[in-house]
Amino acid sequence: MQLIPGPFTTTPADIRLAPDYYFQPDDLGPYIMRLLKSCPTVFGIKSTMAADLDHLAAAGLYAEPRGVVEDGALLQGEVIVQAGARIEAGAQVVGPALICTGAIVAAGALVRDHTVIGPGCRIGFGAEITRSLLIGHVFMKHPCFIGDSVIGRRVNIGSFCSTTGLRCDRGPVAEPAIEEITVTLGGQRITTGQTKFGAVIGDEVALPAGTVLSPGTLIGPGTVIYPRDHIGGFLPAGSRVR
């Protein structure tokens, strides 16, 4: 197979790599809309977001008034809680992180560094998120894990679902990771430029309980996934997967 460099700074030749194949960016607040429009491919979203979170003021992410942080919530590092957002007692958020308007991080949830929780998201007990963008109105109400991923609007993550962000098929896992994640489209391997890359899940997808996603999984919007234990590769928009 031919190995194609990941297209980070030019318009992608394959629409299946473009953010607007997966997400409708309207009405998500100025930062997320600007982020999605600034990245020619989905592979650039996480790194661009991480750079913004490392320089919150330069990215224009400081804003007043602030949302609610209940007594008993544990915040470490720089955490921006926008007006209308709430972090409940017993939740933990490790910055840099952005919790957008209308989002709720409930007791027992863990939001780790370089994460943006978009408008209207609901993060429940036992849910863990790291280095990921939840675009808007994502439901993670049960124990589950999302890492190094981009999750579209109105996605439901079922109990005990998990993304996997690094390769484990070439001997012992190294930390920091050294094996680049690639994806295959049309029989061609495409580099992501990242050694940790979980999944891109388009708008209005529901992951049934217990689903595990392989590194570099791409799921188009409106895909229907029936209960199964493992998903990987590219699933076109509107697919039905049994």
Side-chain angles (χ1 to χ4, degrees):
M1 292 184 181
Q2 181 182 6
L3 188 64
I4 301 176
F8 300 111
T9 58
T10 59
T11 301
D14 193 324
I15 188 61
R16 296 171 295 181
L17 300 179
D20 59 9
Y21 180 84
Y22 297 90
F23 318 118
Q24 294 296 318
D26 299 334
D27 303 321
L28 291 171
Y31 173 68
I32 293 178
M33 292 172 64
R34 185 173 74 248
L35 172 65
L36 294 179
K37 291 178 180 178
S38 70
C39 295
T41 78
V42 292
F43 302 141
I45 293 172
K46 191 181 73 161
S47 57
T48 301
M49 181 183 71
D52 289 342
L53 292 175
D54 282 334
H55 302 89
L56 290 166
L61 293 178
Y62 284 113
E64 297 291 349
R66 299 293 182 88
V68 175
V69 178
E70 295 182 355
D71 291 341
L74 177 59
L75 274 59
Q76 299 173 266
E78 293 202 84
V79 178
I80 304 300
V81 184
Q82 292 184 340
R86 185 169 78 250
I87 301 178
E88 295 183 350
Q92 183 175 359
V93 182
V94 181
L98 171 65
I99 313 299
C100 294
T101 299
I104 298 174
V105 181
L110 172 59
V111 177
R112 291 166 53 195
D113 63 288
H114 296 95
T115 291
V116 172
I117 305 297
C121 291
R122 299 291 184 268
I123 312 303
F125 181 87
E128 179 180 356
I129 307 160
T130 185
R131 298 182 301 273
S132 295
L133 168 63
L134 276 58
I135 286 177
H137 304 283
V138 174
F139 274 29
M140 294 179 61
K141 301 296 291 289
H142 307 287
C144 52
F145 173 76
I146 295 293
D148 300 284
S149 298
V150 184
I151 311 300
R153 69 169 81 205
R154 291 186 295 275
V155 168
N156 185 80
I157 308 293
S159 301
F160 305 111
C161 290
S162 178
T163 63
T164 51
L166 53 78
R167 299 186 62 157
C168 59
D169 59 344
R170 298 188 179 182
V173 172
E175 186 64 43
I178 56 176
E179 289 284 344
E180 184 178 8
I181 304 301
T182 62
V183 302
T184 300
L185 289 175
Q188 296 180 317
R189 290 178 62 204
I190 300 172
T191 63
T192 65
Q194 300 172 64
T195 57
K196 287 187 177 180
F197 192 84
V200 174
I201 303 178
D203 294 344
E204 299 185 345
V205 171
L207 286 187
T211 305
V212 177
L213 303 182
S214 295
T217 298
L218 305 176
I219 301 177
T223 293
V224 176
I225 300 173
Y226 292 85
R228 54 187 298 164
D229 59 2
H230 185 260
I231 293 288
F234 169 70
L235 306 180
S239 298
R240 304 184 86 82
V241 182
R242 294 184 182 273

